[in-house]
Amino acid sequence: MHITADKGRCVGAAQCVLAAPAVFDQDEQGLVAPVTVDPAGADWPAVRQAVHLCPSSAIRIDEE
Amino acid sequence: MTETSGHDIPSFPMARECPMHPPAEYRELRGREPVSRVRMPDGQVAWLVLKHGLARKLLADPRVSADRLHPAFPGRLTAEQRAAPERVRRLSTRRSMIHLDGDEHGAHRKILTGEFSLRRIAALRPRVQEIVDRSIDEMLAAPQPADLVEHVSQAVPSLVICELLGVPHEQRRDFHEWAGMLVSRSVSIRERAAASDALNDFLEDLVTEKERGEPTDDLIGRLIARNRRTPVMTHDEIVGTAVMLLVAGHQTTANMISLGVVALLENPEHKARIAADPSLLPPAIEEMLRYFSVVENAPARVATEDIEIGGVTIRQNEGIVVSGLAADWDDEVFEHPDRLDFERGARHHVAFGYGVHQCLGQNLARVELEIVFETLLRRVPGLSLAVPAEELPYKDDAGIYGIYRMPVNC
Ligand code: SF4
C-alpha cells in the first residue's frame, strides 16, 4: 500500500490522525503530514478508514 | 423542477414527536424520495437531502456554494424576518470562511488550520479543565436545583472561546452574558438585537486593538501576524472570523453538553461503566454526536450547476438543505439508529458536516465534551435531573437543537 497525501486539498480536520495515528501527523500549519507513505500491513485497515473519513479526499492509496 | 410524485410539498423544518428522535417524516421521506422538495419558512422551495451517502456526496461536490447571501440560500427565517432591519442581522452576515467557496475558501481556511491542530488543542486541555472545574464549582454553590445549562453548558464553551480569542479576563463576563442573550427565549427581540450589536462592537474593538498593539499570543493575535506576512483577510474579515468562531463554537458545544448529560443520566448502567473507565468516553461522545447531530439542518447550499443526485435533478440556483440528523439516522448506514449505543464506535457520522467546510473546531469540541463529562462524573457522582427528562424544555424552535434549561440536583 502506498499513500499520497495532498496538502493542497487538506482542510485540517485531523480525521486521518485520529483514525491512524501511527501513519498520519499534522505539520505546523495543521495540514496532513504522513509519518510514512508505505505503511505496515497492520496499519492498512486504519489507513483505509482515514481515507473513508477524510472530508476533502486529500488522501489516496494505491493498494500493492 | 422535476416532478417526482403527487405528494404535497412538506414544510420545513418538521416537528418532532419525541424530543430525542428526529421527526418521523424523515424516515418515511428517506425511503420514498431521499432527495425531497420542501417548503422553507420564507416560502421558497428547496431540496432536502436525507441519506447519509448522498449527504456526503453533495457536501463534497464542488458544484455547490455556501454563499449565505445568495437569494436561494435556504434559511430558517420567514420572508418578514429576512426583511428585518439590518442591525438585527449584523452578526450573521459578516463574511467568513463558512460563506466562501473554492480557492477563496481554501485560503481563508488554511490561515486558520494550524490553530486547530491536534497538538494545539491538546495544549489547551489544562485551561479547559480549569474552566470546567470553576464552572462546576459555581453550579455546586448555587441554590438547588441548579440550572446546568447556565452554569456548565453555556459557561464552558463561552469561556473557552474567550480563551481562544484572547478576550481579557475582566471582559469575559460581559461577553458571556451577551452570548447567552443571543439564544435565550426569555429576552425580547430588541434585547437580542442589542446583545448582537454589543458583541459585534466588542469583537470589532478587540481586533482593532490587537491590530494596533504588539502581536498577542492568542488565535486572533497570531492570525493578524500571519495575515500581515501573507495577506488573505481584510480587517472586516478578521472580525467576521472572530464572530464566526463565537457563533460556531458556542451553541453547538453548549447543547451537546446538555443533551450528553441527559443521555448519560438516562443510561445509568453505561454511566457507571464510563465513570469507572473514562477511556470509554471518546467512543461514547462519537455516538452522542451522531445521535443528536445538533446542527440538524445547518449545512445548506445552493447549486451552482445542475446536479443529478438520488434520482432527481437539482437545478442551478436551487437551494439545498442537508439534514445531518437525517443522514446520521440512515438505517442503511447505522444499524438501529434509534439505539444510543455508546460502544457503536462509528466515526463516519456527519454531525460536523462533510467536505471542505467540515467543522474546523471539531477536535476542540471533542476535548470540551470529554473534559466536561469526565469531570462531572468524577466530581458530581450524585448528579440527577430535578424533572423527568421528557419534561425538559427542548429547543424545538431553534436552529441548533438542545435544551433551554436543565434543573439538576447535585
Ligand atoms: S483527514 Fe483529510 S482533511 Fe483532515 S487532516 Fe487528514 S488529510 Fe487533511
Side-chain angles (χ1 to χ4, degrees), chain B residues 103-118:
Chain B
D103 291 346
E104 199 186 4
H105 167 266
H108 279 240
R109 174 127 179 169
K110 279 198 174 130
I111 196 171
L112 278 176
T113 42
E115 296 292 335
F116 292 90
S117 69
L118 289 175

Side-chain angles (χ1 to χ4, degrees), chain B residues 163-364:
Chain B
E163 184 70 32
L164 202 69
L165 297 183
V167 174
H169 278 272
E170 58 287 3
Q171 288 171 313
R172 292 189 180 186
R173 229 163 233 291
D174 284 344
F175 182 90
H176 178 51
E177 213 162 278
W178 294 324
M181 281 170 76
L182 289 186
V183 293
S184 167
R185 237 190 342 187
S186 53
V187 303
S188 67
I189 294 188
R190 256 196 121 79
E191 287 172 297
R192 200 170 307 156
S196 160
D197 276 356
L199 263 178
N200 203 76
D201 293 346
F202 174 78
L203 291 170
E204 171 86 52
D205 291 348
L206 184 78
V207 169
T208 307
E209 218 162 284
K210 286 182 194 290
E211 279 170 338
R212 269 200 217 120
E214 283 291 299
T216 48
D217 194 18
D218 49 61
L219 190 151
I220 298 294
R222 288 186 297 263
L223 173 60
I224 289 167
R226 233 175 287 132
N227 196 54
R228 254 183 218 145
R229 289 195 297 273
T230 327
V232 171
M233 296 183 184
T234 62
H235 161 83
D236 252 9
E237 287 166 345
I238 296 179
V239 180
T241 300
V243 171
M244 178 270 292
L245 291 172
L246 161 69
V247 173
H250 192 256
Q251 283 314 300
T252 46
T253 317
N255 288 310
M256 270 312 299
I257 292 174
S258 306
L259 292 164
V261 169
V262 174
L264 286 168
L265 295 179
E266 293 293 290
N267 292 279
E269 220 177 276
H270 272 104
K271 180 181 149 235
R273 226 181 290 164
I274 292 171
D277 178 5
S279 75
L280 299 176
L281 206 37
I285 289 171
E286 274 337 286
E287 175 66 349
M288 291 175 191
L289 288 164
R290 177 198 72 82
Y291 190 84
F292 295 116
S293 296
V294 292
V295 193
E296 268 184 85
N297 321 304
R301 299 287 186 268
V302 175
T304 56
E305 289 173 36
D306 291 1
I307 302 172
E308 280 181 38
I309 188 162
V312 302
T313 305
I314 299 176
R315 298 273 174 216
Q316 184 183 20
N317 293 330
E318 286 182 342
I320 307 163
V321 178
V322 179
S323 170
L325 181 65
D328 285 339
W329 280 58
D330 183 344
D331 53 9
E332 275 177 25
V333 179
F334 303 99
E335 217 177 300
H336 298 296
D338 55 332
R339 230 177 263 165
L340 183 69
D341 174 2
F342 285 153
E343 281 149 30
R344 187 186 294 270
R347 303 191 58 98
H348 54 304
H349 59 74
V350 291
F352 290 117
Y354 193 70
V356 295
H357 290 283
Q358 192 182 58
C359 177
L360 180 58
Q362 58 181 290
N363 294 309
L364 176 58

Side-chain angles (χ1 to χ4, degrees), chain A residues 8 11 15 25-26 29 52, chain B residues 56 109-110 113-114 118-119:
Chain A
V11 293
Q15 302 280 13
D25 197 358
Q26 290 173 295
Q29 228 194 314
H52 178 56
Chain B
R56 294 215 329 173
R109 174 127 179 169
K110 279 198 174 130
T113 42
L118 289 175
R119 243 174 242 113

